[in-house]
Coordinates of all heavy atoms in Angstrom, one line a residue:
Chain B
A791 N -15.0 36.9 22.6 CA -14.0 36.2 23.4 C -13.2 37.2 24.3 O -12.8 38.3 23.8 CB -13.0 35.5 22.6
Q792 N -13.1 36.9 25.6 CA -12.3 37.7 26.6 C -11.1 36.8 27.0 O -11.0 35.6 26.7 CB -13.2 38.0 27.8 CG -14.5 38.7 27.4 CD -14.2 40.1 26.9 OE1 -13.4 40.9 27.4 NE2 -14.9 40.5 25.8
S793 N -10.3 37.3 27.9 CA -9.1 36.6 28.4 C -9.6 35.3 29.2 O -8.9 34.3 29.1 CB -8.2 37.4 29.2 OG -8.9 38.0 30.3
I794 N -10.7 35.4 29.9 CA -11.2 34.3 30.7 C -11.5 33.1 29.8 O -11.3 31.9 30.1 CB -12.4 34.7 31.5 CG1 -12.7 33.5 32.5 CG2 -13.6 35.1 30.7 CD1 -13.9 33.8 33.4
C795 N -11.9 33.4 28.5 CA -12.3 32.3 27.6 C -11.1 31.5 27.2 O -11.2 30.3 26.8 CB -13.0 32.9 26.4 SG -14.4 33.9 26.8
V796 N -9.9 32.1 27.1 CA -8.7 31.4 26.8 C -8.2 30.6 27.9 O -7.6 29.5 27.8 CB -7.6 32.5 26.4 CG1 -6.3 31.8 25.9 CG2 -8.1 33.4 25.3
E797 N -8.4 31.1 29.2 CA -7.9 30.5 30.4 C -8.7 29.4 30.9 O -8.2 28.3 31.3 CB -7.6 31.5 31.5 CG -6.4 32.4 31.1 CD -6.6 33.8 31.8 OE1 -7.4 33.9 32.7 OE2 -5.9 34.8 31.3
R798 N -10.0 29.6 31.0 CA -10.9 28.6 31.7 C -11.9 28.0 30.8 O -12.6 28.7 30.0 CB -11.5 29.3 32.9 CG -10.5 29.5 34.1 CD -11.2 30.0 35.3 NE -12.5 29.3 35.6 CZ -13.6 29.9 36.0 NH1 -13.6 31.2 36.2 NH2 -14.7 29.2 36.2
L799 N -12.1 26.7 31.0 CA -13.2 26.0 30.3 C -14.5 26.3 30.9 O -14.7 26.1 32.1 CB -12.9 24.5 30.4 CG -13.8 23.5 29.7 CD1 -13.6 23.6 28.2 CD2 -13.5 22.1 30.2
P800 N -15.4 26.9 30.1 CA -16.7 27.2 30.8 C -17.5 26.0 31.1 O -17.6 25.1 30.3 CB -17.4 28.1 29.7 CG -16.8 27.6 28.4 CD -15.4 27.2 28.7
P801 N -18.1 25.9 32.3 CA -19.0 24.8 32.7 C -20.3 24.9 32.0 O -20.7 25.9 31.5 CB -19.1 24.9 34.2 CG -19.0 26.3 34.4 CD -18.1 26.9 33.4
L802 N -21.0 23.7 31.9 CA -22.4 23.7 31.3 C -23.3 24.2 32.4 O -23.4 23.5 33.5 CB -22.7 22.3 30.9 CG -23.9 22.1 29.9 CD1 -23.6 22.7 28.6 CD2 -24.2 20.6 29.8
V803 N -24.0 25.3 32.2 CA -24.9 25.9 33.2 C -26.3 25.9 32.7 O -26.5 26.2 31.5 CB -24.4 27.3 33.5 CG1 -25.3 28.0 34.5 CG2 -22.9 27.3 34.0
E804 N -27.2 25.6 33.6 CA -28.6 25.7 33.3 C -29.1 27.2 33.4 O -29.4 27.6 34.5 CB -29.4 24.8 34.1 CG -30.9 24.6 33.7 CD -31.6 23.4 34.4 OE1 -31.0 22.9 35.4 OE2 -32.7 23.0 33.9
F805 N -29.2 27.9 32.3 CA -29.5 29.3 32.4 C -31.0 29.5 32.5 O -31.5 30.5 33.1 CB -29.0 30.1 31.2 CG -27.5 30.2 31.2 CD1 -26.7 29.4 30.5 CD2 -26.9 31.3 32.0 CE1 -25.3 29.5 30.6 CE2 -25.6 31.4 32.0 CZ -24.7 30.6 31.3
E806 N -31.8 28.7 32.0 CA -33.3 28.7 32.2 C -33.7 27.2 32.3 O -33.0 26.4 31.8 CB -34.0 29.5 31.2 CG -33.7 29.2 29.7 CD -34.4 30.1 28.7 OE1 -35.4 30.7 29.1 OE2 -34.0 30.1 27.6
P807 N -34.9 26.9 32.8 CA -35.3 25.5 33.0 C -35.1 24.7 31.7 O -35.6 25.0 30.6 CB -36.7 25.5 33.4 CG -36.9 26.9 33.9 CD -35.9 27.8 33.2
G808 N -34.2 23.7 31.8 CA -34.0 22.7 30.6 C -33.1 23.3 29.6 O -32.8 22.6 28.6
H809 N -32.6 24.5 29.7 CA -31.8 25.1 28.7 C -30.4 25.4 29.2 O -30.1 26.2 30.1 CB -32.4 26.5 28.2 CG -31.7 27.1 27.0 ND1 -32.2 28.2 26.4 CD2 -30.6 26.7 26.3 CE1 -31.4 28.5 25.4 NE2 -30.5 27.6 25.3
F810 N -29.4 24.6 28.7 CA -28.0 24.6 29.2 C -27.1 25.2 28.2 O -27.4 25.1 27.0 CB -27.5 23.2 29.5 CG -28.3 22.4 30.5 CD1 -29.5 21.8 30.1 CD2 -27.8 22.3 31.8 CE1 -30.2 21.0 31.1 CE2 -28.6 21.5 32.7 CZ -29.8 20.9 32.3
A811 N -26.1 25.9 28.6 CA -25.1 26.4 27.7 C -23.7 26.4 28.4 O -23.6 26.6 29.6 CB -25.4 27.7 27.1
A812 N -22.6 26.2 27.6 CA -21.3 26.3 28.2 C -20.6 27.5 27.7 O -19.8 27.5 26.8 CB -20.5 25.0 27.8
C813 N -21.0 28.7 28.3 CA -20.4 30.0 27.9 C -20.2 30.8 29.2 O -21.1 30.9 30.0 CB -21.2 30.7 26.9 SG -20.5 32.3 26.4
H814 N -19.1 31.4 29.3 CA -18.8 32.3 30.5 C -19.8 33.5 30.5 O -20.1 34.0 31.6 CB -17.4 32.8 30.5 CG -16.4 31.8 30.7 ND1 -16.3 31.0 31.8 CD2 -15.3 31.4 29.9 CE1 -15.3 30.2 31.8 NE2 -14.7 30.4 30.6
F815 N -20.3 33.8 29.3 CA -21.2 35.0 29.3 C -22.6 34.7 28.9 O -23.3 35.5 28.3 CB -20.6 36.0 28.3 CG -19.2 36.4 28.7 CD1 -18.1 35.9 28.0 CD2 -18.9 37.2 29.8 CE1 -16.8 36.2 28.4 CE2 -17.6 37.6 30.2 CZ -16.6 37.0 29.5
G816 N -23.0 33.4 29.1 CA -24.3 33.0 28.7 C -25.5 33.9 29.3 O -26.4 34.1 28.5
D817 N -25.3 34.4 30.5 CA -26.4 35.2 31.1 C -26.6 36.5 30.3 O -27.6 37.1 30.3 CB -26.1 35.4 32.6 CG -24.7 35.9 32.8 OD1 -23.9 35.9 31.9 OD2 -24.5 36.3 34.0
K818 N -25.5 37.0 29.6 CA -25.6 38.2 28.9 C -26.5 38.1 27.7 O -27.0 39.1 27.2 CB -24.2 38.6 28.3 CG -23.1 38.8 29.4 CD -23.2 40.2 30.0 CE -21.9 40.6 30.7 NZ -21.6 39.6 31.8

Side-chain angles (χ1 to χ4, degrees):
Chain B
Q792 306 289 319
S793 58
I794 187 178
C795 303
V796 185
E797 288 152 17
R798 281 187 47 220
L799 183 69
L802 197 66
V803 176
E804 189 167 13
F805 286 98
E806 49 183 343
H809 188 175
F810 301 80
C813 177
H814 292 301
F815 304 103
D817 50 352
K818 301 276 196 302

